[in-house]
Amino acid sequence: MKRGSHDCQSRLPDNTALKQQQLPAYRLQLTATIILSGFFITGVFCLGVGVILLLSAKNIKEVEINYTEKCSDCAKLRENTANFDKECTCSIPFYLPEAMKGDVYMFYKLYGFYQNLYQYVLSRSNSQLMGIDIKDVSNCAPFKNSHNGIPIAPCGAIANSIFNDTIVLSYNLNSSMSIKVPMLRSGISWWTDKYVKFWNPSSQNLSSAFAGTAKPPSWPKPVYELDEEDPENNGFINEDFIVWMRTAAFPTFKKLYRRLSRIQHFTEGLPAGSYSFGITYNFPVTKFQGEKSVVLSTLTWSGGSSLFLGLAYTVTGALTWLAFFAMMAIHLRLKGRKTLFHQE
Amino acid sequence: MNTERDSETTFEEDSQPNDEVVPYSDDETEDDLEDQEPAVEPEQNRVNREAEENQEPFKKDCTWQVKANDRSFHEQPHFMNTKFFCIKESKYANNAIKTYKYNVFTFLPLNLFEQFKRAANLYFLILLILQTIPQISTLAWYTTLVPFLVVLGITAIKDLVDDVARHKMDKEINNRTCEVIKDGRFKVAKWKEIQVGDVIRLKKNDFVPADILLLSSSEPNSLCYVETAELDGETNLKFKMALESTHQYLQKENSLATFDGFIECEEPNNRLDKFTGTLFWRKTGFPLDADRILLRGCVIRNTDFCHGLVIFAGADTKIMKNSGKTRFKRTKIDYLMNYMVYTIFVVLILLSAGLAIGHAYWEAQVGNYSWYLYSGEDATPSYRGFLNFWGYIIVLNTLVPISLYVSVEVIRLGQSHFINWDLQMYYAEKDTPAKARTTTLNEQLGQIHYIFSDKTGTLTQNIMTFKKCCINGHIYGDHQDASQHNHSKAEQVDFSWNMYADGKLAFYDHYLIEQIRSGKEPGVRQFFFLLAVCHTVMVDRLDGQLNYQAASPDEGALVSAARNFGFAFLARTQNTITIIRTPEGNIRLYCKGADTVIYERLHRMNPTKQETQDALDIFASETLRTLCLCYKEIEEKEFQEWNKKFMAASIASTNRDEALDKVYEEIEKDLILLGATAIEDRLQDGVPETISKLSKADIKIWVLTGDKKETAENIGFACELLTEDTTICYGEDINALLHTRMENQRNRGGVYAKFVPPVHEPFFPTGGNRALIITGSWLNEILLEKKTKKSNILKLKFPRTEEERRMRTQSKRRLEAKKEQQQKNFVDLACECSAVICCRVTPKQKAMVVDLVKRYKKAITLAIGDGANDVNMIKTAHIGVGISGQEGMQAVMSSDYSFAQFRYLQRLLLVHGRWSYIRMCKFLRYFFYKNFAFTLVHFWYSFFNGYSAQTAYEDWFITLYNLLYSSLPVLLMGLLDQDVSDKLSLRFPGLYVVGQRDLLFNYRRFFVSLLHGVLTSMILFFIPLGAYLQTVGQDGEAPSDYQSFAVTIASALIITVNFQIGLDTSYWTFVNAFSIFGSIALYFGIMFDFHSAGIHVLFPSAFQFTGTASNALRQPYIWLTIILTVAVCLLPVIAIRFLSMTIWPSESDKIQKHRKRLKAEEQWKRRQSVFRRGMSTRRSAYAFSHQPGYADLISSGRSIRKKRSPLDGVIADGTAEYRRTVES
């Protein structure tokens, strides 16, 4: 306990800013000037952005045609799984009063389809889809193997339930003649999906690459015959397949189906006139009270035609301004009030 | 009584397991102190004490057998205890000590076991187990495991570091060496090789390796001086003495080697000051007591070498037995926090159950018809719902914050270090920094309601200076010179004529010096002679300088005063003598003590009795500590007779102490009064200021002291606890008040007393300043302590009939109820007074008072003291503070915080306590908020995914959210935040009340935080939902895909919570700024990494979000969504804060607002005060008390019995070598 003079003052704490809790600091204080000006500027910003968003959403042309009811015969047919091999087509004419200028995109939209269900989302095999191990189906329950035990490719619930309607848009040049609107089936997926997440197993031709695997039970054709026109768009790297495999966040969703190829009559976009959708109806939705529709839309810098964000910004801006005026009033009223505090 | 009280030290009444089942040794010292209380207490108290003593089950079974130099003796089979099933172990521990908890192999299992004993860890373990069940696992395995491992790892590393330090320490100690007899010779051996029964030799400055019986030493009479600093912190030397026979025969190596003594003594225990045993040697039995035992941990001083026999080794030694578990105090916030975690847990279960029902319903309505969801199993919807219940328990587990407990520990550790580092609580004179001895109580320092303070050494300096004396009725010490003329300018007495003067004494009475130097007055000579010889002070000579080591500062002051006056005490070769043969051949008994004790024993014919009494009263009113000195001439014959009795008593085998006391009583009577001394004990610096600061902070201060009522009152005035306009109530006043109150209550309540809601009516009319001064005996009277004790005695008799027993229990119950009501009334009354002073209280009563307030006021209490008599109180209070000052370390050892000066208390409470409280509250509020905001997004999302326990974020994000993205800023805020600076905290004590009233963290605040979290999670979910529902990306790709959605919410969440902590932080240092922006940057950095192509190629199933970040975040639409979400989350918070600050500003808001002005004001004031300081000197205040300042040995006269030789021999031995330096 006794200490000599040599280690005198040895227990003196260090006099550093940190240890003495004297670090230089800015004391955050919500002063009236900062708050009021902040609210004012935020209000201006929100209103501005809101108006811009609303205006750009206004410019968008969009056509949505719900064909669940319109093709009720086909829908009925599909309710019975025994009829899976019977083809059913249905044609839906419609009139475009105004031309859709610029790039036009075609989407299919599903209502009440729970692509975000936990077990459903999990049911896929990334290593199979990357072509690393074609027979890795461990995560794909309940669609791992076919009846005779052969691994399914692509396995899993997501792949099995792929949207397999075929939609063809025709333009009626005149009352008697219609031409098929040229559509691109590539460039509809993310680059990373197409070139990182999805690869075909390496082999000389696709059918041999997928040898030893079975097609998913709901599929009419094996995976290497998805696109009969373009052999480069086959197998796992088929873009319709990739788009489907990127699961949606909500039970109502749109997925990109085709892009307008701006050639011939359509260099400016879709001209006004009468059109018709030719639909090969394969995908059953009525069983679960779902609906499906096809959407044609143009886009702007902010994407699709949603008014929500624009409205939300406008409302937020307005409320911010309201709050600004209210706070200003209160501040001015109480400014004169003497702040008293207990003196020592 | 004691165990009862201890069990209630926890905050709420719910009882915690009591760690302290073994009675502590300070209970013993406490009783000793009580015994020496001046006998002014009412008669009933004596009855109490006897009753207590009777109840104490103290067995003195001597079953511990030790045989010297015979190791095989201790290995006999009947000394073996069976451990486990077949492993036998000797009951004699070996001397290797083991304080570490783990070794290489046991660390992992034991440490994990320790950690899983905590409820939170167990909860996460169960979650992990749930996650392994594939049917219900809804999160990837790493989401819980990684944070959990990190949390466990941090704790394990902390434990490991602690344990490695212990290992090193143990190793160092076990490998120390000393000499042990082996094969007839002393050989150097390591400590760990020493065993019971070994004879060892120790040299000067050696540590004693085990509890040993002192056999002989190099000093005359085989004395041995030891320093017991490691045991009790006292640095003064104590001496031990060997038995006469061992001293005579066991000096040589060969005789020691053949020593074959046999010892029977008590089993190992933790009583440091007690030992009973007998040595059988040469067919004689020698009684042994604690004065022959050297305890492990002592250091041999001033003794060249000594020999001893090991009695207790290693774990059996008293010091090891004493290092038991310390009681675990917990804070109010701890309890609150636990309840909140339970609340959250209930919320979690309810949410999960609700969602599970939702899922079952959904399955029945939708899921069963959705062909694409076919799972291959035909489970019923309700079974799926049941599985989903567990799935949601897993998904929503982050509602219970995994890192909460670890973070709280880190913050508290930091706060404790800030206390240790505080320069302004460092006392340079003693080189003592403040020390937070526990790291779990810091925020409680900001919630103190009541302070219980000891007086001596706590409020006063406990540095005693000899001030005045009264010799033969004449008072010396006022300013006067030899010619009796009072000079206006006091001149200090010059002691340079005295070669032994230490030059430290300031004395102004020249007349006394004249008297001494002339040698005319025999009374004066005798007076100082007595002071020089009658004490327990030890002398140390360092380079020819005399150095006194006194057990109590009073003694030191008296002996050094005698030294300065020319009666230097030079050396002690024997123990203290109170009976001395003077050079003239007379035998004389010298004696000093408290006036009350001495006056009882005075001879009827004492010429100066009245004058001395007057002088004592004068001294007392000047608040000086007084002692009376007296002597007695003893006839040769009388002495011989007494000596015989004494010898007989000292070897009595039963009730030795009592027999001795009786013998002393016999000779200590008919004393002749010599005079009285007055010692000054100054108030510490800044005490009145501190007290007034603290009372402005609405903290009530109670002083609990052993002093007389008058002294206590004076002290009250001195430290400004009492002022001129205070009405003082005494025990008798309030007794009447309480009595009428009791009557009223009984009349009003009658049989239904229990059902009548307690009406609070004040005892005193409002207004006016009131103080209560109450003595210990009144306290007992009022609180009906004695009556229950009496009934306890009655209870001992066995009730004869059933009827009688029932009557008795009934009356006992009624008595209990009455006592409780009375106690409650007393506490209510006392709390109405602005100041309470309890004087003449025993240590037990001190603790009782603290306990009363704790129990009936449900307030947070703090006890502060410095001495052994405060230990009880310190342990009882929620927070114990020890003053590391003069009186040993016992108070400090049992305290939670310690520092050197009372005035540091204001900084501890008003600055550190307040900051800690505010930080902890802010931290907890934010922590709950951020976890709710984070987790409940899953809840909202489940309405859109069929209640399928789908998460709204990527698994990696869930894993790292609490660990990396949101932990550092809040941790730093918890460590560094300050709402107002320390100076302003001290200047405006009113700021302190937020903690006392629990304003910053309570159930209301908790629910507000939860609500804030809930709202934030709604905004975080629904704005992106609205934005995504209809739209597509700018390239036509759907941004409404799950992964982009998850990234959008996660980004908005991270930005929101980090900005929110920015808003909560009122003290933005660069570290805070760095951590907030760093966290956001870290989030984006890690996200882009985890979404990169490379990592997906390596681990395709672990990292599935490939490309999401880059694809989603390049779209302006998503950024606009994030910005809007963050703005909507934060703008209302800012607006509400601003409005509440403008409309209902809190005290700290106002001060913050006027910070600059206040700062300027302060500087101006400081300049002013420079002029003032020099002019006014506050009248210094004094205090005195009647604590038994003397070492145990002397006050009970026990030292006399150390003399074995006739008295003539004592002087021949050169007992107390004393030299007059005055030429007479």
Side-chain angles (χ1 to χ4, degrees), chain B residues 106-205:
Chain B
T106 58
F107 175 74
L108 214 60
L110 275 184
N111 186 264
L112 285 179
F113 176 69
E114 287 279 313
Q115 292 202 43
F116 284 127
K117 279 204 267 185
R118 309 176 91 189
N121 286 346
L122 201 63
Y123 163 73
F124 286 107
L125 183 69
I126 291 169
L127 269 181
L128 276 179
I129 294 169
L130 281 180
Q131 270 183 287
T132 58
I133 304 171
Q135 278 87 358
I136 60 175
S137 166
T138 43
L139 284 177
W141 54 271
Y142 45 80
T143 45
T144 319
L145 189 68
V146 172
F148 190 51
L149 284 183
V150 170
V151 166
L152 288 182
I154 289 173
T155 320
I157 286 169
K158 202 188 99 207
D159 291 349
L160 187 67
V161 169
D162 287 353
D163 213 50
V164 165
R166 279 194 289 265
H167 266 285
K168 266 189 196 154
M169 190 83 157
D170 284 357
K171 211 170 186 177
E172 194 265 321
I173 289 174
N174 285 333
N175 286 334
R176 284 183 191 166
T177 55
C178 76
E179 286 179 286
V180 180
I181 290 210
K182 257 190 213 159
D183 314 321
R185 300 191 61 86
F186 275 113
K187 285 178 185 163
V188 173
K190 287 179 177 165
W191 277 24
K192 60 183 174 192
E193 292 156 4
I194 297 174
Q195 287 187 6
V196 172
D198 285 356
V199 175
I200 59 173
R201 172 154 60 190
L202 299 169
K203 300 213 175 62
K204 197 188 242 180
N205 299 336

Side-chain angles (χ1 to χ4, degrees), chain B residues 427-658:
Chain B
Y427 191 52
E429 258 171 61
K430 289 227 171 63
D431 187 27
T432 327
K435 177 110 185 79
R437 298 173 50 84
T438 45
T439 56
T440 54
L441 299 173
N442 297 318
E443 73 270 359
Q444 189 121 305
L445 289 173
Q447 298 186 282
I448 304 293
H449 259 289
Y450 291 90
I451 292 178
F452 298 90
S453 173
D454 174 42
K455 197 212 71 189
T456 313
T458 305
L459 297 178
T460 62
Q461 288 175 343
N462 210 11
I463 300 173
M464 307 300 165
T465 41
F466 182 83
K467 210 71 193 171
K468 289 183 180 186
C469 59
C470 167
I471 306 171
N472 281 336
H474 190 284
I475 296 178
Y476 300 93
D478 290 323
H479 298 174
Q480 54 184 327
D481 64 5
S483 51
Q484 295 279 357
H485 286 299
N486 287 341
H487 285 287
S488 56
K489 194 178 152 216
E491 201 177 301
Q492 209 166 310
V493 168
D494 180 24
F495 287 112
S496 56
W497 49 271
N498 177 1
M499 59 179 283
Y500 288 109
D502 60 359
K504 284 175 194 158
L505 183 70
F507 200 74
Y508 299 94
D509 193 344
H510 297 264
Y511 183 63
L512 181 61
I513 303 301
E514 198 98 323
Q515 291 275 323
I516 293 169
R517 296 190 78 167
S518 70
K520 275 179 214 149
E521 188 78 46
V524 177
R525 280 185 51 197
Q526 212 172 13
F527 183 87
F528 286 104
F529 179 69
L530 192 156
L531 289 184
V533 295
C534 179
H535 53 77
T536 57
V537 172
M538 295 283 165
V539 183
D540 220 7
R541 267 176 203 259
L542 280 173
D543 324 320
Q545 284 286 309
L546 281 183
N547 198 359
Y548 290 148
Q549 295 198 323
S552 82
D554 301 65
E555 284 225 306
L558 291 176
V559 178
S560 21
R563 162 191 181 172
N564 281 311
F565 285 111
F567 295 78
F569 176 67
L570 295 184
R572 181 193 296 280
T573 53
Q574 241 285 12
N575 307 305
T576 325
I577 356 268
T578 46
I579 301 181
I580 258 187
R581 191 180 288 266
T582 61
E584 293 87 48
N586 305 325
I587 299 173
R588 208 174 258 175
L589 168 79
Y590 283 125
C591 182
K592 67 182 180 194
D595 50 350
T596 43
V597 181
I598 296 287
Y599 266 67
E600 269 182 9
R601 300 190 166 119
L602 283 185
H603 195 272
R604 262 173 296 129
M605 299 296 290
N606 247 322
T608 56
K609 200 170 168 182
Q610 190 52 46
E611 286 96 324
T612 312
Q613 182 64 52
D614 293 344
L616 283 171
D617 290 343
I618 293 170
F619 293 159
S621 66
E622 289 172 12
T623 65
L624 298 171
R625 296 161 77 94
T626 58
L627 271 182
C628 285
L629 312 185
C630 55
Y631 72 98
K632 180 188 178 185
E633 304 279 353
I634 305 174
E635 300 282 314
E636 182 78 41
K637 216 174 80 200
E638 191 191 345
F639 174 75
Q640 295 299 350
E641 213 167 282
W642 177 83
N643 202 26
K644 253 182 241 153
K645 275 193 212 160
F646 168 75
M647 293 306 270
S650 62
I651 54 167
S653 54
T654 52
N655 292 340
R656 196 184 297 161
D657 289 359
E658 279 167 45

Side-chain angles (χ1 to χ4, degrees), chain A residues 8-49:
Chain A
C8 183
Q9 303 284 305
S10 65
R11 296 195 286 174
L12 178 77
D14 298 342
N15 189 7
T16 59
L18 174 70
K19 289 190 175 182
Q20 300 308 318
Q21 307 197 59
Q22 302 285 344
L23 282 178
Y26 169 73
R27 282 181 188 276
L28 186 72
Q29 210 180 338
L30 303 176
T31 60
T33 347
I34 294 176
I35 299 294
L36 291 176
S37 52
F39 266 72
F40 185 80
I41 293 167
T42 313
V44 170
F45 170 77
C46 286
L47 282 175
V49 172

Side-chain angles (χ1 to χ4, degrees), chain B residues 1115-1169:
Chain B
Q1115 309 221 21
Y1117 186 77
I1118 288 184
W1119 278 109
L1120 284 176
T1121 312
I1122 293 174
I1123 290 170
L1124 182 70
T1125 312
V1126 172
V1128 173
C1129 284
L1130 295 179
L1131 284 177
V1133 178
I1134 298 172
I1136 289 171
R1137 292 221 176 144
F1138 175 74
L1139 285 180
S1140 75
M1141 236 179 64
T1142 322
I1143 304 172
W1144 309 281
S1146 75
E1147 203 75 349
S1148 89
D1149 288 337
K1150 289 182 211 163
I1151 288 164
Q1152 245 171 305
K1153 201 168 169 189
H1154 298 269
R1155 205 175 60 239
K1156 290 209 177 89
R1157 206 190 75 206
L1158 288 167
K1159 203 169 178 183
E1161 218 171 87
E1162 195 145 297
Q1163 272 164 354
W1164 182 74
K1165 253 190 197 157
R1166 200 174 302 139
R1167 230 171 291 131
Q1168 287 255 308
S1169 66

Side-chain angles (χ1 to χ4, degrees), chain A residues 20-21 23 114 197 249 313, chain B residues 372 421 919 941 1067 1104 1120:
Chain A
Q20 300 308 318
Q21 307 197 59
L23 282 178
Y114 285 83
K197 292 183 86 169
Y313 261 105
Chain B
Y372 58 95
W421 286 332
R919 288 166 185 172
Y941 189 36
Y1067 192 71
Q1104 306 201 355
L1120 284 176

Side-chain angles (χ1 to χ4, degrees), chain A residues 24-288:
Chain A
Y26 169 73
R27 282 181 188 276
L28 186 72
Q29 210 180 338
L30 303 176
T31 60
T33 347
I34 294 176
I35 299 294
L36 291 176
S37 52
F39 266 72
F40 185 80
I41 293 167
T42 313
V44 170
F45 170 77
C46 286
L47 282 175
V49 172
V51 168
I52 293 170
L53 279 173
L54 284 178
L55 287 179
S56 52
K58 269 262 167 77
N59 281 335
I60 287 172
K61 301 277 186 309
E62 196 185 68
V63 176
E64 179 179 340
I65 291 162
N66 189 324
Y67 62 94
T68 326
E69 289 304 311
K70 290 188 174 140
C71 304
S72 53
D73 294 345
C74 290
K76 281 224 176 72
L77 186 77
R78 289 288 164 236
E79 270 183 32
N80 188 351
T81 35
N83 303 325
F84 72 93
D85 51 350
K86 289 183 187 154
E87 196 161 288
C88 180
T89 53
C90 135
S91 171
I92 301 160
F94 69 101
Y95 181 73
L96 200 64
E98 271 179 87
M100 294 173 96
K101 294 228 169 89
D103 287 334
V104 178
Y105 296 81
M106 180 152 81
F107 303 89
Y108 59 91
K109 184 170 183 180
L110 292 176
Y111 292 88
F113 189 93
Y114 285 83
Q115 221 194 1
N116 57 8
L117 204 84
Y118 179 69
Q119 285 85 357
Y120 178 87
V121 172
L122 277 192
S123 185
R124 66 190 281 162
S125 169
N126 280 320
S127 59
Q128 190 190 46
L129 295 174
M130 281 177 75
I132 296 172
D133 183 359
I134 192 76
K135 293 191 177 143
D136 177 15
V137 292
S138 50
N139 292 328
C140 288
F143 300 101
K144 283 184 177 180
N145 296 312
S146 66
H147 297 299
N148 40 17
I150 301 169
I152 294 170
C155 67
I158 311 177
N160 182 53
S161 61
I162 192 171
F163 180 80
N164 51 7
D165 285 1
T166 318
I167 306 167
V168 178
L169 180 62
S170 315
Y171 176 50
N172 298 341
L173 280 173
N174 47 49
S175 56
S176 59
M177 183 175 158
S178 70
I179 55 164
K180 206 174 145 190
V181 178
M183 286 288 184
L184 296 170
R185 47 174 67 209
S186 63
I188 56 173
S189 64
W190 288 357
W191 185 90
T192 46
D193 281 353
K194 182 148 187 183
Y195 295 102
V196 179
K197 292 183 86 169
F198 294 88
W199 276 111
N200 281 327
S202 49
S203 187
Q204 275 148 1
N205 61 44
L206 275 179
S207 54
S208 65
F210 286 99
T213 61
K215 67 177 178 61
S218 306
W219 286 23
K221 287 175 274 182
V223 66
Y224 46 85
E225 289 169 17
L226 277 176
D227 192 339
E228 283 148 359
E229 294 155 26
D230 183 3
E232 288 304 302
N233 195 23
N234 253 331
F236 292 152
I237 55 168
N238 175 281
E239 291 212 27
D240 284 336
F241 175 66
I242 292 173
V243 167
W244 180 255
M245 291 302 280
R246 177 155 290 279
T247 53
F250 304 105
T252 300
F253 58 87
K254 262 189 289 200
K255 279 183 191 284
L256 188 56
Y257 186 64
R258 295 287 182 266
R259 297 187 294 145
L260 177 70
S261 172
R262 288 164 69 175
I263 47 168
Q264 303 160 10
H265 300 278
F266 309 104
T267 42
E268 295 289 306
L270 286 182
S274 60
Y275 291 81
S276 76
F277 283 121
I279 292 164
T280 317
Y281 197 113
N282 290 322
F283 195 73
V285 290
T286 46
K287 262 193 202 168
F288 53 89

